[in-house]
């Protein structure tokens, strides 16, 4: 509380410098989270650059065996290439999963440390007596981390796509897998911003650090689950029919496959999303996430005005 008070109050004889001063206040009070975020970005960037460097060698290990093996040609990739393949695939999966679930710790931090703790300790109300209105206080609280999250997450998504090379699904997973889908597109940024807004709203509602963190985390988890459950319905699927046999490519996300037999002839009907639907679904889901973030932000400002004089 002492740190926040020192950061918030202006020295005697000086006029507070408005939004700029609030920005520095947020950065000073939450400098531990800022340092952690910067270190996480640097570490992830280093690993992704390494993944790009070993990417070609990893793809050599991700090839099927030659049947039959010919003289002078190995039946499978070398043991060294297969080992690099495992390392590459493992790290890519780990980083992509981390990008996917960034929303959870962000929401918990926003609900607990960013808003809930300052309301619980009285630091926020003290700041409002130092020529800082509640609206400007909340605007700075949300704007600073929003910019950092958007730029950091967006940069990691670009690096992740660069490190994934040609997108070999044997190494990096199919485009429709939950982690690969979120960690390679703008939805990752949308999830981070939605988590920030939901966590802040939870902190304002409960005015307690621990409760705000828990409810923010739960809200983010529910949002992830709902969108993953209905992702296939965000864009119209295609349908293919055939008689006898119908083989779908691995890149197709098969939703339903119906088979009937009439007069000894098998009829097949498949509903699916081709890989070309990746971007339309990305845009729709990102739009939903930004709408959730905007709605939670507006609700937070409305609630703050209702609870402050």
């Amino acid at each position: 509380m002492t740190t926040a008070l020192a950061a918030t109050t202006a020295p005697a004889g000086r006029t507070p410098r408005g939004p700029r001063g609030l920005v520095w206040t947020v950065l000073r009070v939450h400098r531990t989270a800022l340092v952690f975020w910067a270190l996480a970005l640097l570490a992830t960037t280093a690993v992704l650059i390494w993944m790009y460097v070993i990417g070609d060698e990893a793809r050599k290990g991700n090839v099927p065996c030659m049947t039959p093996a010919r003289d002078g040609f190995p039946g499978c990739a070398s043991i060294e290439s297969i080992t690099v393949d495992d390392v590459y695939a493992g790290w890519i999966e780990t980083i992509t999963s981390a990008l996917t679930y960034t929303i959870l710790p962000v929401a918990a931090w926003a609900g607990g440390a960013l808003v809930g703790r300052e309301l619980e300790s009285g630091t926020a109300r003290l700041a409002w007596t130092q020529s800082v209105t509640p609206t400007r206080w909340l605007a700075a609280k949300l704007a600073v981390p929003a910019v950092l999250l958007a730029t950091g997450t967006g940069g990691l998504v670009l690096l992740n796509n660069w490190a994934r090379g040609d997108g070999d699904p044997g190494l990096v997973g199919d485009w429709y897998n939950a982690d690969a889908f979120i960690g390679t597109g703008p939805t990752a940024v949308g999830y981070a911003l939605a988590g920030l807004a939901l966590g802040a709203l939870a902190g304002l509602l409960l005015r307690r650090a621990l409760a705000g963190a828990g409810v923010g985390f739960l809200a983010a988890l529910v949002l992830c689950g709902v969108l993953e459950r209905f992702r296939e319905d965000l864009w119209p699927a295609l349908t293919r029919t055939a008689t006898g046999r119908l083989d779908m490519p691995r890149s197709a996300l098969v939703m339903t496959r119906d088979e009937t037999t009439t007069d000894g002839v098998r009829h097949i009907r498949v509903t699916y999303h081709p890989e070309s639907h990746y971007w339309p679904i990305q845009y729709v889901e990102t739009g939903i996430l930004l709408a959730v973030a905007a709605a939670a932000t507006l609700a937070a400002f409305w609630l703050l005005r209702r609870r402050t004089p």
Side-chain angles (χ1 to χ4, degrees):
M1 180 171 175
T2 303
T3 304
L5 175 58
T8 304
T9 55
R14 275 189 168 180
T15 302
R17 306 187 93 185
R20 184 178 180 278
L22 290 175
V23 168
W24 285 111
T25 297
V26 174
L27 292 175
R28 287 184 60 185
V29 172
H30 300 285
R31 58 184 176 274
T32 301
L34 178 62
V35 170
F36 177 80
W37 176 241
L39 291 176
L41 289 179
L42 288 174
T44 306
T45 299
V47 173
L48 286 173
I49 292 174
W50 178 42
M51 292 300 97
Y52 177 80
V53 171
I54 69 173
D56 290 339
E57 187 66 23
R59 279 180 278 277
K60 291 178 183 178
N62 190 48
V63 295
C65 295
M66 296 167 55
T67 306
R70 293 179 294 166
D71 293 339
F73 292 90
C76 297
S78 67
I79 296 299
E80 291 80 5
S81 293
I82 293 174
T83 301
V84 174
D85 169 358
D86 293 337
V87 171
Y88 177 90
W91 275 106
I92 285 291
E93 181 181 2
T94 299
I95 291 174
T96 306
S97 298
L99 279 172
T100 299
Y101 296 107
T102 298
I103 181 177
L104 302 178
V106 165
W109 171 77
L114 187 67
V115 174
R117 185 178 65 189
E118 298 210 11
L119 291 173
E120 183 177 10
S121 65
T123 304
R125 189 165 294 277
L126 180 61
W128 302 339
T129 66
Q130 307 297 323
S131 301
V132 177
T133 65
T135 299
R136 286 171 56 198
W137 172 83
L138 182 58
K141 284 287 182 183
L142 292 177
V144 175
V147 170
L148 295 175
L149 284 170
T151 54
T153 305
L156 288 182
V157 168
L158 294 176
L159 277 172
N160 190 31
N161 287 332
W162 174 66
R164 293 164 72 91
D166 56 8
D168 182 355
L171 288 171
V172 299
D174 294 290
W175 67 271
Y176 47 80
N177 290 345
D179 291 358
F181 181 85
I182 296 175
T184 57
T187 50
V189 178
Y191 273 105
L193 295 179
L196 175 67
L198 289 171
L201 179 58
L204 280 167
L205 278 170
L206 300 172
R207 294 173 170 259
R208 295 290 184 273
L210 187 59
V215 172
F217 184 93
L218 181 61
L221 187 63
V222 170
L223 179 63
C224 283
V226 169
L227 286 178
E228 182 177 350
R229 167 64 180 81
F230 293 101
R231 183 169 295 138
E232 298 174 354
D233 302 318
L234 297 180
W235 194 257
L238 301 181
T239 301
R240 286 183 62 181
T241 58
T243 55
R245 180 174 178 175
L246 177 59
D247 295 324
M248 300 296 295
R250 174 174 176 172
S251 61
L253 169 58
V254 177
M255 299 170 62
T256 61
R257 182 185 180 98
D258 300 320
E259 298 184 13
T260 59
T261 302
T262 305
D263 298 329
V265 179
R266 185 172 63 169
H267 301 274
I268 305 171
R269 178 186 177 91
V270 176
T271 303
Y272 70 103
H273 283 294
E275 190 172 3
S276 60
H277 283 189
Y278 168 84
W279 282 111
I281 298 174
Q282 277 277 343
Y283 293 143
V284 173
E285 186 162 338
T286 303
I288 293 172
L289 290 166
L290 294 179
V292 169
T297 301
L298 291 174
F301 278 102
W302 175 85
L303 183 63
L304 185 64
R305 285 196 298 268
R306 286 287 299 260
R307 291 187 172 184
T308 54

